Amino acid sequence: MTVPVSFALAIGALVVGVAIGFLVARTRTQRAERKPEGPTVAELLMRLVRSSNNGVVVLNRFGDMVLHNPRAYELGLVRVSQADPRARQAAEQVVETDEPMEIDLSPLEARGRQPEAVLGIVRPLGDGFTIVEAVDHSEAVRLEATRRDFVANVSHELKTPVGAIALLTEAVLDAAEDVDEVRRFGSKILRESTRLGQLVTELIALSRLQGAERLPDLNVVEVDAVVREALGRTSLSAESAEISVTTDAASGLLVEGDRTLLVTALSNLLENAIAYSTPGSPVSISRRLADGNVEIAVTDRGIGIAEDEQQRVFERFYRADKARSRATGGTGLGLAIVKHVAANHGGSVGLWSSPGTGSTFTLRIPAHISPEPATGKQIPPAPRQEKTPERTPRLVVTGQEAPDHGGKL
């Protein structure tokens, strides 16, 4: 039987169509199988925008937000679901000029701990779209303000003794024939020059400590030796001020650190306690082990520090009683040095104080961990039992948190 030609062509076309369909389906299946797993480029870009530390907002030609990230809210670039008016206005100019521009997006009013200085950079994206990127420069602004204050304070503090030495020298020259006057003015020149030398020395020490990381080379230091040396350094000041300094029994405690720096810090605390105590009042030193840290507390029964000033006593050149500090020759840098010594040892310094009652400064340094001979385990030295005074003090801590010694010891 003869098959019609048209039927044969139809059958052939059907076979070809089925084959082509099979090949297309197979190709699509293979492509699907070859599709890489994971996020797409668009998803990665969205993650990048949302995780950025800078505020990002994309605006269209009408100033409406197309895209933004959470950081934009934190920096004040976005408020109530709208971009900052300053950013929208700048975006309009950028669309017209096709040139990027910088704008100030700092908050118009103080908002507590919110960013204080925010710089915005507006760039064109084409087709009427713009991107606004907000960068927080608050820390840089605060550091610059601190630097200006430091320079101003140093200039003022150096000007006082230098000016005094110049005036006293003129007085000596005018009274060259009067031996008694020369001696009197000469002693004042010596006092002012000593104060100037002390100020320069402490400025150098503070500049080396400030901003430095934890000390890389730590040695095992005996706390009792640090206390003895600090007492030796301050014995003359205590005797001149008629202050008796008492200590508790030797503790045998050890710390890891720099002995010279620790002695300097403890000496500064003792000098501070002596300077702000009335003649005849006691100053005491105590040592103890608490939570793996050695705590050295210096307690006085002096004038005390007001609550609103307790957070500032560790600032450079800050004096709770300026008249008394100048009379005793203080530079206002002693407690700042103590704070940085403690921080560089991985410790902290705490303060309890009450006006008219006295103050307790506590230097807290990580204890040295010595291996146990029998087992090789790392154990701290045995703590000495101390009676805790019954008092609920107020504690101000700089650096890491430090516990309170409970007032007078």
Side-chain angles (χ1 to χ4, degrees):
M1 182 176 64
T2 302
V3 178
V5 176
S6 60
F7 181 75
L9 293 175
I11 292 298
L14 179 61
V15 172
V16 172
V18 171
I20 293 174
F22 174 76
L23 293 174
V24 171
R26 183 178 179 182
T27 302
R28 289 179 178 176
T29 302
Q30 290 176 348
R31 289 179 178 176
E33 291 176 353
R34 289 197 304 264
K35 183 180 179 181
E37 297 181 357
T40 63
V41 174
E43 292 172 342
L44 287 175
L45 288 175
M46 181 61 69
R47 293 181 186 179
L48 175 64
V49 170
R50 294 192 177 186
S51 63
S52 175
N53 191 48
N54 298 333
V56 177
V57 171
V58 176
L59 303 175
N60 60 17
R61 64 175 66 252
F62 305 107
D64 298 326
M65 288 193 305
V66 178
L67 176 68
H68 66 278
N69 64 354
R71 184 61 172 163
Y73 279 100
E74 298 174 4
L75 297 181
L77 180 56
V78 177
R79 297 179 184 176
V80 197
S81 300
Q82 288 188 346
D84 188 291
R86 293 170 292 180
R88 294 202 305 269
Q89 184 179 359
E92 294 177 1
Q93 298 180 20
V94 169
V95 170
E96 295 177 359
T97 61
D98 200 33
E99 294 289 338
M101 66 179 297
E102 295 183 354
I103 57 173
D104 183 10
L105 296 176
S106 303
L108 300 177
E109 56 185 15
R111 295 184 297 161
R113 289 185 169 271
Q114 296 300 319
E116 301 174 1
V118 180
L119 176 66
I121 304 174
V122 187
R123 299 184 179 90
L125 296 179
D127 297 325
F129 290 90
T130 55
I131 181 172
V132 184
E133 186 177 7
V135 184
D136 184 10
H137 289 281
S138 302
E139 187 63 25
V141 171
R142 283 191 287 265
L143 288 175
E144 178 61 21
T146 301
R147 185 194 66 81
R148 289 197 303 267
D149 292 342
F150 179 71
V151 172
N153 287 333
V154 169
S155 301
H156 174 74
E157 294 295 332
L158 290 176
K159 185 189 302 182
T160 301
V162 169
I165 291 174
L167 292 175
L168 290 170
T169 303
E170 292 180 1
V172 169
L173 294 175
D174 292 338
E177 303 299 330
D178 192 334
V179 177
D180 293 334
E181 287 297 304
V182 169
R183 289 179 177 175
R184 185 168 69 89
F185 289 127
S187 63
K188 291 183 178 181
I189 292 175
L190 178 60
R191 183 168 61 250
E192 291 296 333
S193 61
T194 301
R195 181 186 171 203
L196 180 60
Q198 180 184 1
L199 178 59
V200 172
T201 300
E202 292 189 352
L203 279 173
I204 294 173
L206 185 59
S207 66
R208 290 176 177 174
L209 289 169
Q210 193 169 14
E213 298 178 355
R214 181 169 176 168
L215 298 173
D217 299 325
L218 300 179
N219 301 315
V220 179
V221 180
E222 296 181 2
V223 174
D224 298 334
V226 171
V227 172
R228 286 195 301 270
E229 188 170 344
L231 285 172
R233 286 191 185 184
T234 57
S235 59
L236 183 59
S237 299
E239 183 179 351
S240 300
E242 300 179 2
I243 300 293
S244 60
V245 181
T246 60
T247 65
D248 54 359
S251 62
L253 295 172
L254 303 174
V255 296
E256 294 184 1
D258 185 289
R259 173 169 174 166
T260 302
L261 291 179
L262 292 174
V263 171
T264 298
L266 184 56
S267 299
N268 287 349
L269 290 180
L270 285 172
E271 292 284 2
N272 186 76
I274 294 170
Y276 287 90
S277 296
T278 56
S281 61
V283 171
S284 62
I285 303 175
S286 67
R287 294 152 280 191
R288 72 173 185 178
L289 181 69
D291 300 326
N293 293 276
V294 174
E295 296 181 351
I296 309 175
V298 177
T299 301
D300 66 71
R301 297 184 182 276
I303 62 176
I305 304 171
E307 182 176 339
D308 58 345
E309 295 182 326
Q310 293 181 19
Q311 294 286 356
R312 301 192 59 192
V313 294
F314 296 98
E315 296 178 6
R316 295 164 304 197
F317 299 112
Y318 186 81
R319 300 178 176 92
D321 188 336
K322 298 178 177 58
R324 178 185 290 265
S325 180
R326 292 191 182 278
T328 56
T331 63
L333 295 174
L335 293 181
I337 291 176
V338 174
K339 180 184 73 172
H340 288 291
V341 169
N344 290 347
H345 281 78
S348 62
V349 57
L351 164 64
W352 175 92
S353 186
S354 177
T357 302
S359 305
T360 296
F361 286 86
T362 304
L363 183 62
R364 192 170 187 256
I365 304 296
H368 169 66
I369 306 299
S370 57
E372 187 179 10
T375 63
K377 295 181 180 180
Q378 300 291 319
I379 58 172
R384 177 173 49 81
Q385 299 294 327
E386 292 185 349
K387 182 179 179 180
T388 302
E390 296 181 357
R391 172 176 287 184
T392 303
R394 168 180 171 80
L395 182 67
V396 178
V397 177
T398 64
Q400 301 175 353
E401 184 180 0
D404 168 54
H405 281 258
K408 308 307 167 200
L409 300 176

